[in-house]
């Protein structure tokens, strides 16, 4: 085979293609057992090492302008994509905040209702009497009660006509 010939030539040191050509071997075979020739069996590939160390790349004067245009176009496309996707994203975030506020509102309403019930229970007459008895409060006598009269007779609450 052509590729195997190259590999063997590197190890055996064959100089030319004629040196590396296969030697004929005679076999006594019948026509029924002969193989067809393999494709490209007679092709010999020779490789040569190429040294590009002294080659200098030619400067492309238009490449810098083209690169800046590509960079500017990519930046503009990214800004446009972000600008298009921001309103739906803000709407989604606002929806989450709204649902959290609704849950908080329900929780606060339940808390307010609980506190109103507790306040009503605590300010009932029976509870106040029980609390006064516990702390030994006594209703003041009529001689201890002082009624204050306002100095200003023109006060809005005391306008009697």
């Amino acid at each position: 085979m052509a590729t195997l010939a190259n590999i063997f030539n590197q190890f055996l040191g064959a100089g030319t293609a004629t040196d590396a050509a296969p030697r004929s071997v005679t076999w006594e075979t019948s026509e029924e057992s002969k193989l067809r020739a393999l494709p490209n069996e007679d092709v010999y590939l020779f490789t040569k090492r190429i040294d590009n160390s002294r080659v200098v790349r030619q400067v492309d004067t238009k490449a810098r302008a083209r690169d800046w245009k590509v960079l500017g176009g990519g930046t503009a496309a990214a800004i446009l994509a972000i600008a298009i996707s921001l309103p739906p994203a803000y709407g989604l975030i606002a929806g989450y905040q709204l649902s959290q506020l609704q849950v908080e509102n329900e929780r606060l309403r339940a808390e307010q209702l609980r506190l109103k019930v507790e306040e009503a229970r605590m300010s009932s007459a029976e509870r106040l009497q029980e609390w006064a008895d516990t702390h030994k409060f006594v209703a003041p006598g009529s001689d201890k009660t002082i009624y204050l009269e306002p100095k200003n007779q023109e006060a809005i609450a005391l306008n009697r006509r």
Side-chain angles (χ1 to χ4, degrees):
M1 292 185 170
T3 56
L4 289 177
N6 285 336
I7 293 171
F8 289 133
N9 285 342
Q10 290 176 358
F11 292 115
L12 299 176
T16 62
T18 56
D19 294 341
R23 294 180 178 84
S24 62
V25 178
T26 57
W27 296 91
E28 294 181 19
T29 58
S30 65
E31 287 294 320
E32 296 174 356
S33 63
K34 283 188 177 180
L35 294 174
R36 293 181 298 175
L38 295 173
N40 298 325
E41 188 176 26
D42 57 339
V43 175
Y44 176 75
L45 300 175
F46 178 74
T47 59
K48 178 181 176 182
R49 181 164 164 72
I50 298 173
D51 182 23
N52 287 334
S53 62
R54 294 179 293 155
V55 177
V56 178
R57 178 176 280 190
Q58 189 174 7
V59 177
D60 187 6
T61 56
K62 296 180 182 178
R64 188 176 188 97
R66 182 182 63 234
D67 292 345
W68 279 108
K69 286 180 184 177
V70 168
L71 183 66
T75 304
I79 289 173
L80 181 65
I82 290 170
I84 288 173
S85 65
L86 274 181
Y90 281 141
L92 187 65
I93 291 170
Y96 283 131
Q97 288 175 345
L98 182 63
S99 67
Q100 287 175 349
L101 289 174
Q102 287 172 345
V103 168
E104 180 73 13
N105 186 21
E106 290 298 320
R107 187 187 64 78
L108 289 175
R109 285 185 190 267
E111 179 74 14
Q112 183 182 24
L113 183 62
R114 187 189 62 80
L115 289 175
K116 281 184 180 180
V117 168
E118 186 176 342
E119 180 187 12
R121 186 181 58 82
M122 295 295 272
S123 63
S124 68
E126 297 85 23
R127 174 73 179 140
L128 289 176
Q129 186 61 40
E130 179 185 322
W131 194 73
D133 292 341
T134 305
H135 289 56
K136 299 179 183 170
F137 290 147
V138 181
S142 61
D143 58 331
K144 302 283 186 177
T145 305
I146 300 173
Y147 294 101
L148 299 176
E149 291 292 330
K151 293 180 182 177
N152 185 1
Q153 292 296 330
E154 296 178 4
I156 296 173
L158 294 176
N159 285 342
R160 295 182 205 145
R161 294 185 190 198

